[in-house]
Amino acid sequence: MTSAEHTSPETPRDPGHGPSHGSATHGAAHGPAAGPTAGPNAGPGRGLSYADSGVDIDAADALVESIKPLARATTRVGVLGGLGSFGALFDLRAAGFADPILVASTDGVGTKLMLAVATGLHDTVGIDLVAMCVNDLVVQGAEPLLFLDYFATGKLDPAQARKVIAGIASGCNEAGCALVGGETAEMPGIYASQDYDLAGFAVGAAERDSLLPRGVGPGDAVLGLASSGLHSNAFSLVRRVVQLSGLGWDAPSPFAPDLLLGAALLEPTRIYVRPLLALHRAGLMKAAAHITGGGLPGNLPRVLPDGTVAVLTPDWPVPPVFPWLAQVGGIAPAEMLRVFNCGIGMAIVVAEADVAAAMALLREQGETVMRIGHIEAAVGPAGVRITLPDGWPE
């Protein structure tokens, strides 16, 4: 994201690194300032400025000022100080932790950003960035506390960047974590002018005796929480399918008639933090897996013990974007399963006796939840077994 000050001219070890927005600020100093100096191409009577190299400190400063209210609106119990320091501080005791274990994650949004640039729709990719990080924290039983972002671009457009960071702040509010800092890097020569990349960094905490997964075994049930669509994975393949379809981003979406194609594909990743924390605090969750790249086969085994297999029945409703991609791209069902979430954004393991209570709680939290399988004993490493019906996905 961004925070208070915004300096960061070039440093001898990092030539061309543009303005930053340090931790607890989008913009703590990054190195010695590069003041105007005469150079061989400076011209008569004029020295070079940083702006001559394509880096606009004034634009970066304007961005920082515009996003300060966004960051402040995400503050929470435990945050110490405000924007402007070199680092963010957090008091775990004030946040109510007795014997905490810190949990950290990092992620990006990938080539979904190319759709945002192509369509000019930058409002939701920040939500994606937060979701990809905090969903990875909560599956370990952790409450997200802090978030920092990295925004890199070829030429800083403050209006564009503010929309992205507003989305990040929105995601942080939804997840209950504070946006405490970030970095804005203007790097001409690495990125084309309006292209940008994002990275997110989340820190959470869990009490030592509440870390997940724990106690998973044969006979447990597997529940699935509905995804909002593609979330933030495999957009290189998605873009290839759209190319094959011959449709433009501004064409009516063939799977969401009320939306244009670009807007439909940019539907943001669902943030599952609050419902999963509620389930965990009720003592009903044994394990959870965030279904991202690798799909169910690649992610669910990560939270299962060796000697078990998740047996899944794929009879859950599949959002229409997935059959459209499979049909237009000729993508095989097994490939769909290992690339996309195919309608399940989070898989949860609960005791068989707790299925009804867990499903009721999750529905009260606003989730669409369904039973998608169970755990069986097996030999060897943990795995997933799915028998696909003919014509899947439809």
Side-chain angles (χ1 to χ4, degrees):
M1 112 177 186
T2 44
S3 4
E5 307 145 11
H6 193 135
T7 64
S8 186
E10 298 175 1
T11 68
R13 297 185 58 190
D14 189 15
H17 189 88
S20 83
H21 57 248
S23 141
T25 82
H26 258 239
H30 197 90
T37 58
N41 300 316
R46 178 179 178 271
L48 284 174
S49 70
Y50 208 1
D52 291 328
S53 68
V55 178
D56 188 342
I57 294 178
D58 292 336
D61 288 341
L63 170 64
V64 169
E65 288 304 312
S66 74
I67 64 176
K68 281 181 179 179
L70 301 175
R72 290 194 189 103
T74 69
T75 194
R76 53 154 295 154
V77 174
V79 174
L80 299 179
L83 300 179
S85 323
F86 287 95
L89 305 177
F90 192 89
D91 185 340
L92 289 166
R93 184 176 298 172
F97 290 92
D99 185 21
I101 299 294
L102 293 178
V103 184
S105 67
T106 184
D107 213 329
V109 183
T111 59
K112 189 174 187 178
L113 295 175
M114 297 180 72
L115 273 70
V117 172
T119 61
L121 302 174
H122 306 285
D123 306 84
T124 58
V125 290
I127 299 173
D128 287 305
L129 184 67
V130 175
M132 296 300 289
C133 296
V134 298
N135 285 343
D136 283 354
L137 293 183
V138 73
V139 300
Q140 297 182 87
E143 175 186 351
L145 304 173
L146 309 176
F147 193 86
L148 300 99
D149 70 272
Y150 176 78
F151 180 99
T153 184
K155 181 172 179 58
L156 182 62
D157 177 342
Q160 177 200 67
R162 190 185 189 284
K163 290 178 182 178
V164 174
I165 295 165
I168 294 172
S170 174
C172 286
N173 278 322
E174 187 175 348
C177 61
L179 181 54
V180 295
E183 166 82 357
T184 300
E186 188 172 21
M187 297 190 285
I190 292 184
Y191 298 97
S193 61
Q194 292 304 300
D195 287 346
Y196 61 90
D197 197 10
L198 297 174
F201 311 90
V203 178
E207 296 293 355
R208 187 182 302 271
D209 61 0
S210 67
L211 288 167
L212 297 177
R214 63 175 55 206
V216 176
D220 287 336
V222 183
L223 308 180
L225 299 186
S227 69
S228 57
L230 295 169
H231 286 185
S232 301
N233 296 103
F235 272 81
S236 295
L237 178 55
V238 171
R239 290 184 298 110
R240 180 71 176 123
V241 172
V242 172
Q243 184 181 30
L244 288 174
S245 76
L247 297 173
W249 303 122
D250 58 353
S253 168
F255 54 85
D258 294 336
L259 296 173
L260 299 182
L261 179 58
L265 293 172
L266 283 167
E267 180 70 25
T269 307
R270 192 162 180 82
I271 294 175
Y272 298 100
V273 169
R274 295 185 191 276
L276 260 64
L277 285 178
L279 189 69
H280 185 34
R281 288 165 179 165
L284 298 175
M285 186 164 70
K286 291 187 170 187
H290 185 200
I291 309 305
T292 57
L296 283 158
N299 288 288
L300 187 49
R302 298 167 65 182
V303 299
L304 303 180
D306 290 344
T308 63
V309 60
V311 180
L312 306 183
T313 304
D315 55 5
W316 58 83
V318 178
V321 62
F322 296 108
W324 181 78
L325 289 168
Q327 180 182 7
V328 174
I331 305 171
E335 182 73 357
M336 290 292 296
L337 265 179
R338 79 184 188 103
V339 172
F340 298 108
N341 66 63
C342 294
I344 300 296
M346 188 71 69
I348 304 168
V349 181
V350 302
E352 177 65 35
D354 293 334
V355 168
M359 293 182 73
L361 187 153
L362 290 166
R363 286 173 179 146
E364 289 173 2
Q365 293 286 320
E367 295 299 321
T368 299
V369 57
M370 47 237 124
R371 180 172 182 150
I372 63 173
H374 62 276
I375 307 299
E376 291 185 0
V379 177
V384 170
R385 186 166 72 240
I386 306 175
T387 302
L388 296 174
D390 292 341
W392 188 94
E394 284 186 353

